[in-house]
Amino acid sequence: MRDLAVAFGLVLVIEGLLWALAPSLGRKLLQATAEAPEQTVRLAGAIAIAAGVLVVWVVRG
């Protein structure tokens, strides 16, 4: 459970960096996502999930 809390904290840090350092880029990304087809957004989400699982698997062994 502790690892999950750490992972959640890191997600918040990474997300916060985007908004703190480049808020206009964040807005552009949100706009692009809003205009993208739903299937494209789902595919990007699935790829992100797979990449995240792969990273955890490689690091944790």
Side-chain angles (χ1 to χ4, degrees):
M1 193 64 158
R2 182 176 172 186
D3 288 341
L4 182 61
V6 170
F8 184 67
L10 287 172
V11 167
L12 291 175
V13 168
I14 292 166
E15 288 283 333
L17 280 173
L18 171 66
W19 296 108
L21 299 177
S24 62
L25 175 62
R27 287 191 178 114
K28 287 179 186 176
L29 290 171
L30 284 174
Q31 183 68 30
T33 303
E35 294 172 357
E38 188 172 313
Q39 195 62 26
T40 301
V41 177
R42 282 184 198 268
L43 179 61
I47 291 170
I49 290 168
V53 168
L54 181 65
V55 167
V56 170
W57 181 61
V58 168
V59 170
R60 288 299 210 164

